């Protein structure tokens, strides 16, 4: 199918506009809360231009863990019915989520990378769902993916001796000219494999591009970095039964170490990258 061939999908009109408007309203409340913040924390990632007078949120971290509406949709059958087959019908486990804001004329880029470079697993049945809260266009920084890159090795994401969370633009495995923008309307979703090369440009338009990205793994994928508290890890199972053994497949693994001095969200990690597309 298309996902297996290209490593990504764009599915239109998955959620009604009423659901999207509800999430926008919740998000607006968090933007207002961020007004009091002067530095990044476990929930708020601020744009460099953020201020009390003009709150500018770059990312809301783990909305599914801090808000019941986001949590409900993260666990919904609407999403589970779509992604469980893509993960091999091994069950589904929530791993992490974040809402990248890309506010009008300011929104920061995300340099090109593969998600699984950040969190290698015992198997690579790993994907991310993007729920579009706004229309995603080329001008406002739509997600872009390179077809078939999920079938290639995980590229080097290191720079200057540290994990930089971004590939080198001169890497022969990185073919930027093959990139495909996932242009979708609000309420649509994107899905990309954890090995799929992807990135997004700055927002140069007058319109926001808010994309909620939810990472899921097969239920029988065990993290190779940052072994979790087992009881907390069990709570992240959102479909299927808890496996009694982990599935190990033959695939290449890169480790995200050593970490750079400025760790945090991907924006901070990628400051370490020396050769990028957008900076």
């Amino acid at each position: 199918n298309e996902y297996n061939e290209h490593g990504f999908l764009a599915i239109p009109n998955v959620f009604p506009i009423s659901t999207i408007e509800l999430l926008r309203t919740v998000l607006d409340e968090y933007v207002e809360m961020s007004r009091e913040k002067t530095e990044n924390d476990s929930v708020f990632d601020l744009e460099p231009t953020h201020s009390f007078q003009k709150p500018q949120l770059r990312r809301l971290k783990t909305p599914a863990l801090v808000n019941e509406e986001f949590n409900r949709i993260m666990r919904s059958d609407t999403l589970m019915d779509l992604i469980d087959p893509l993960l091999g019908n091994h069950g589904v486990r929530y791993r992490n989520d974040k809402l990248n804001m890309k506010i009008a004329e300011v929104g920061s880029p995300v340099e090109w990378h593969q998600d699984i470079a950040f969190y290698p697993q015992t198997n690579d049945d790993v994907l991310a769902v993007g729920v579009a809260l706004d229309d995603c266009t080329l001008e406002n920084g739509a997600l872009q993916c390179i077809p078939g890159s999920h079938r290639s090795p995980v590229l080097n994401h290191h720079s200057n001796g540290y994990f930089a969370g971004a590939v080198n633009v001169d890497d022969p495995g990185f073919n930027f000219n093959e990139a495909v923008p996932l242009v979708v309307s609000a309420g649509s979703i994107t899905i990309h494999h954890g090995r799929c090369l992807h990135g997004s440009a700055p927002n140069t338009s007058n319109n926001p591009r808010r994309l909620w990205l939810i990472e899921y793994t097969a239920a029988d994928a065990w993290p190779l970095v940052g072994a979790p508290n087992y009881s907390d890890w069990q709570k992240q199972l959102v479909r299927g039964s808890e496996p009694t053994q982990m599935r190990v497949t033959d695939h290449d693994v890169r480790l995200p170490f050593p970490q750079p001095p400025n760790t945090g969200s991907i924006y901070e990690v990628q400051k370490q990258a020396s050769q990028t597309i957008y900076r």
Side-chain angles (χ1 to χ4, degrees), residues 20 24 35 38 51 57 60 73 76-77 86 121 136 175 177 219 228 269:
I20 298 303
R24 289 172 180 167
R35 185 185 297 274
T38 57
S51 67
L57 189 58
L60 178 64
I73 293 170
S76 68
D77 286 340
L86 300 181
Q121 311 278 318
C136 299
N175 301 307
N177 60 337
V269 174

Side-chain angles (χ1 to χ4, degrees), residues 26-230:
V26 172
L27 186 55
D28 287 344
E29 294 171 357
Y30 279 94
V31 172
E32 183 58 30
M33 281 188 269
S34 76
R35 185 185 297 274
E36 303 288 341
K37 301 293 180 177
T38 57
E39 58 184 29
N40 300 337
D41 61 20
S42 61
V43 176
F44 300 99
D45 192 305
L46 311 173
E47 285 284 2
T49 50
H50 169 85
S51 67
F52 177 85
Q53 293 77 17
K54 193 174 183 180
Q56 295 182 329
L57 189 58
R58 183 165 60 181
R59 168 180 283 184
L60 178 64
K61 302 175 184 177
T62 60
L65 299 185
V66 299
N67 180 266
E68 61 181 13
E69 294 298 341
F70 281 97
N71 188 279
R72 176 179 59 82
I73 293 170
M74 178 273 286
R75 298 173 178 273
S76 68
D77 286 340
T78 300
L79 290 181
M80 294 302 103
D81 290 347
L82 290 170
I83 67 176
D84 195 6
L86 300 181
L87 293 172
N89 292 305
H90 295 286
V92 181
R93 196 179 305 275
Y94 161 87
R95 203 205 77 85
N96 193 19
D97 73 309
K98 58 264 186 175
L99 207 157
N100 292 346
M101 299 289 286
K102 278 200 194 293
I103 57 180
E105 299 179 338
V106 175
S108 296
V110 175
E111 299 293 347
W112 285 80
H113 66 282
Q114 293 159 290
D115 291 342
I116 206 165
F118 288 78
Y119 51 91
Q121 311 278 318
T122 56
N123 63 68
D124 63 355
D125 283 324
V126 178
L127 57 75
V129 173
V131 180
L133 271 61
D134 300 296
D135 294 347
C136 299
T137 67
L138 273 176
E139 292 75 22
N140 69 6
L143 182 71
Q144 299 187 58
C145 296
I146 296 179
S149 56
H150 67 302
R151 297 195 299 268
S152 300
V154 179
L155 301 185
N156 184 13
H157 286 62
H158 285 67
S159 182
N160 300 317
Y162 291 101
F163 178 72
V167 299
N168 190 310
V169 295
D170 294 328
D171 192 309
F174 176 50
N175 301 307
F176 178 67
N177 60 337
E178 298 178 3
V180 174
L182 276 58
V183 175
V184 295
S185 60
S188 303
I189 70 168
T190 63
I191 303 175
H192 66 267
H193 192 281
R195 296 167 69 94
C196 178
L197 277 162
H198 63 287
S200 60
N203 185 354
T204 59
S205 77
N206 295 320
N207 302 309
R209 193 234 65 175
R210 292 165 290 186
L211 184 69
W212 177 28
L213 290 159
I214 319 166
E215 300 166 354
Y216 298 99
T217 72
D220 58 1
W222 181 261
L224 296 175
V225 171
N229 176 286
Y230 186 64

